[in-house]
Amino acid sequence: EYWGFNLRHYDVGNHFNEMCGLFEVNYDLFPDDKLQKQFIGYYLHASHQFNGSTKEVTSDEIDTFYKTVGKMVLLSHLFWGIWAIYMSQVSAIDFDYAGYSVIRLREYFKRKQQFLNL
């Protein structure tokens, strides 16, 4: 349905957002820092292997990636919030796009300072 090349930080941040649900959204399910960093560590390890590197993933590498992912979490909320506003006007699909937009944009503003301060 929606695919294409994105920045890997964005894809990971969007993945974290979608762990909270798509139709029944519960942001209490958003992964905590420990789980995010564990996921990122596994992701970077797999990325190194895919690229033929035997280099170990460092905590600095995880922290740097984590900080960028946090900002992409925000971008994901903005993207899908704005997309849902548009879809509420043009889609014939029976889905509460306007309500979904409110959920995503509300979460953006709720977490904005948290992620921008990383």
Side-chain angles (χ1 to χ4, degrees):
E1 180 177 35
Y2 298 97
W3 65 272
F5 179 78
N6 281 314
L7 297 172
R8 62 188 189 157
H9 300 88
Y10 178 87
D11 280 339
V12 171
N14 190 63
H15 173 70
F16 290 158
N17 284 334
E18 291 184 350
M19 289 174 73
C20 302
L22 297 173
F23 300 104
E24 300 278 334
V25 180
N26 178 359
Y27 285 111
D28 292 335
L29 300 174
F30 191 83
D32 63 18
D33 296 350
K34 181 180 177 183
L35 182 58
Q36 289 180 57
K37 288 181 179 184
Q38 183 180 27
F39 179 93
I40 289 167
Y42 290 136
Y43 175 86
L44 292 173
H45 176 74
S47 178
H48 288 188
Q49 285 184 323
F50 180 79
N51 290 312
S53 173
T54 58
K55 176 181 136 183
E56 291 295 319
V57 177
T58 67
S59 60
D60 285 345
E61 187 178 7
I62 292 171
D63 287 341
T64 299
F65 199 95
Y66 167 78
K67 290 174 183 177
T68 304
V69 165
K71 290 161 181 62
M72 295 299 112
V73 164
L74 295 175
L75 184 59
S76 168
H77 284 309
L78 279 177
F79 175 83
W80 290 112
I82 293 168
W83 169 86
I85 291 170
Y86 171 75
M87 292 301 288
S88 73
Q89 300 300 307
V90 300
S91 178
I93 296 172
D94 182 24
F95 180 76
D96 183 13
Y97 289 105
Y100 184 71
S101 175
V102 168
I103 290 168
R104 293 302 292 258
L105 294 174
R106 184 176 290 145
E107 194 66 14
Y108 166 83
F109 286 108
K110 177 182 172 186
R111 295 189 181 264
K112 183 178 176 182
Q113 286 311 309
Q114 171 191 350
F115 288 121
L116 290 180
N117 290 334
L118 290 177

